[in-house]
Amino acid sequence: MANDIETKAQQRTIWITANRWLSGLVSVAFVAIGCGQLAAAEPDVAPPEPTVAQWHPLNPPVADGPVSVHATFDLLSISGINDEAEQVGISGVLTLVWKNANQSFDPAQEGIREKVFSGDFQFYEVYSGWYPQVTLANTAGEYDTSAVVLRVQPDGTSTLSQAIDAVAKVDLNMRRFPFDRQRLELVFRIFGFDSSVIAFDDTSSAASTNGSFTKVPQWSLRKIHASMGTLDASESIGVGPASSFVVAIDVKREPLFMVRLVVVPLSLIVMLSWSVFWMDRSSVGDRVNVSFVGILTAVAYQITLVGIVPNVSSVTMMNAFLNLSLLIMCATVVVSLYVNTVDRHGPIRGDRIDRRCRWLFPLSYIALNAVILILAFFFF
């Protein structure tokens, strides 16, 4: 009797467990069928593409073409021109004008005729709109902005003025020194955007505001003008050709300082060395001594002028003049020794050489200096 009761209890437990498993399988099947029908009922539509905002306060304004930026550079002063390093120090005001309709406002509602952001804090911290960032492409390490003012008109026209102190790397042609003229170029470019997005307009200009401050010792300002172009910036900032604003400063060196310090005194010394051709041929020692005095003077001039004449690798007119003067005086020593040699065979030939050298040396000196001038001004 007890065995029958135990057997029935085991069968009941098995039956309950089987019913639970069967109920679970049926529930899973119904869920799977429901999910399949729901997926089949939904249409096969591609997920929507993310939309791109057409404008953001930190982005350039949307326009049909590139955003036009009008640039003006006012040269305030030239701190110095370094011939050896080929650098120029300048101080000026760079003004940028562009229109951003998204920055427009209602003067009646705002209660002001224009918005002015003056100083670093107001411009960099308070103003939240976009502005074109301009850098000096040929900077030599120093580029500082000492003051900044941004004015925004009701129609969105923005005018940004920045005071700039910079040292720029320039290309100098010193072959005509000290009669040279140089073009000092400041190459400003739009940073971060290529010319298809932001570009300087063709009406951009440059000018000098004060002639006394742009006066540099031995230099005079002739003209300042501006031009537009493009500058490849793909390797540096990863964009295409960037729009550039080139300010060209034409200057001329005043040669009077070098003429009165070097050219005139050394020319007189060279002419005095020709006095040996009027001296007695028998006193060859005195003739050589006079020539050597001139030679040593020319060498002393070259040593003294090391700190005045630009130490450049190219041959300048001044270098050619100094070397020619030295060679002419060395030639007088050679002539004096040769005259002393031929004088042993008779005085006639020595007299003839001295008479010819009295006019041959001056003509040669003048002609060779003329050749130097022609080569410098017409071929270099």
Side-chain angles (χ1 to χ4, degrees), residues 223-240:
K223 184 174 62 173
I224 178 171
H225 55 94
S227 61
M228 267 53 66
T230 57
L231 188 66
D232 186 13
S234 58
E235 296 182 358
S236 59
I237 59 178
V239 298

Side-chain angles (χ1 to χ4, degrees), residues 4 71-72 131 153 156 198 205 230 295 305 329 336 345 352 367:
D4 292 338
T72 303
Y131 66 94
Q153 302 297 325
I198 305 171
S205 60
T230 57
I295 293 172
L305 294 175
M329 287 186 286
S336 296
H345 305 285
R352 186 169 61 249

Side-chain angles (χ1 to χ4, degrees), residues 6 41 133 141 157 174 214 243 259 278 293 301 307 332 353-354 369:
E6 186 178 355
Q133 188 173 201
T157 301
M174 301 294 297
T214 56
S243 180
V259 170
W278 280 267
V293 169
Y301 251 97
T332 59
I353 293 174
D354 279 342
N369 277 309

Side-chain angles (χ1 to χ4, degrees), residues 78-344:
I78 300 177
S79 59
I81 301 175
N82 191 330
D83 297 321
E84 298 178 22
E86 295 188 331
Q87 296 177 359
V88 57
I90 58 95
S91 176
V93 177
L94 178 64
T95 302
L96 306 176
V97 181
W98 71 97
K99 187 174 182 180
N100 187 351
N102 301 290
Q103 294 292 330
S104 60
F105 62 93
D106 186 1
Q109 183 179 358
E110 297 288 342
I112 54 177
R113 295 182 179 181
E114 66 175 1
K115 294 181 179 180
V116 179
F117 301 89
S118 178
D120 293 343
F121 176 77
Q122 293 185 11
F123 177 66
Y124 293 109
E125 301 295 336
V126 179
Y127 179 68
S128 59
W130 173 87
Y131 66 94
Q133 188 173 201
V134 176
T135 60
L136 185 62
N138 60 331
T139 179
E142 179 182 345
Y143 185 81
D144 299 326
T145 55
S146 56
V148 58
V149 175
L150 174 64
R151 301 177 182 271
V152 182
Q153 302 297 325
D155 62 348
T157 301
S158 302
T159 303
L160 175 62
S161 298
Q162 289 180 311
I164 295 173
D165 295 312
V167 176
K169 184 73 175 179
V170 292
D171 184 17
L172 300 181
N173 185 359
M174 301 294 297
R175 295 189 181 276
R176 297 181 183 179
F177 174 83
F179 301 95
D180 54 324
R181 297 185 179 188
Q182 305 293 344
R183 171 162 293 183
L184 314 175
E185 291 188 347
L186 310 175
V187 184
F188 296 95
R189 74 175 182 188
I190 299 291
F191 187 81
F193 298 92
D194 57 29
S195 56
S196 64
V197 180
I198 305 171
F200 291 108
D201 65 7
D202 295 334
T203 61
S204 300
S205 60
S208 175
T209 58
N210 196 317
S212 61
F213 292 156
T214 56
K215 178 76 174 176
V216 183
Q218 299 188 51
W219 294 95
S220 61
L221 178 64
R222 310 299 296 177
K223 184 174 62 173
I224 178 171
H225 55 94
S227 61
M228 267 53 66
T230 57
L231 188 66
D232 186 13
S234 58
E235 296 182 358
S236 59
I237 59 178
V239 298
S243 180
S244 62
F245 172 58
V246 182
V247 178
I249 306 171
D250 293 336
V251 294
K252 177 184 177 182
R253 192 189 302 270
E254 301 295 341
L256 182 59
F257 173 75
M258 296 303 299
V259 170
R260 66 179 175 82
L261 181 68
V262 180
V263 177
V264 173
L266 192 57
S267 298
L268 292 176
I269 294 172
V270 172
M271 288 186 288
L272 290 176
S273 69
W274 300 335
S275 62
V276 297
F277 303 128
W278 280 267
M279 295 178 64
D280 188 6
R281 298 186 310 277
S282 60
S283 58
V284 62
D286 295 336
R287 295 179 60 160
V288 172
N289 288 335
V290 171
S291 298
F292 268 104
V293 169
I295 293 172
L296 294 177
T297 304
V299 173
Y301 251 97
Q302 290 189 344
I303 296 174
T304 305
L305 294 175
V306 168
I308 301 176
V309 178
N311 299 325
V312 294
S313 58
S314 59
V315 179
T316 65
M317 287 179 56
M318 184 58 62
N319 297 136
F321 172 75
L322 291 173
N323 293 331
L324 175 62
S325 301
L326 179 62
L327 290 175
I328 287 293
M329 287 186 286
C330 291
T332 59
V333 177
V334 176
V335 172
S336 296
L337 295 177
Y338 181 72
V339 168
N340 180 67
T341 301
V342 301
D343 192 51
R344 299 173 183 175

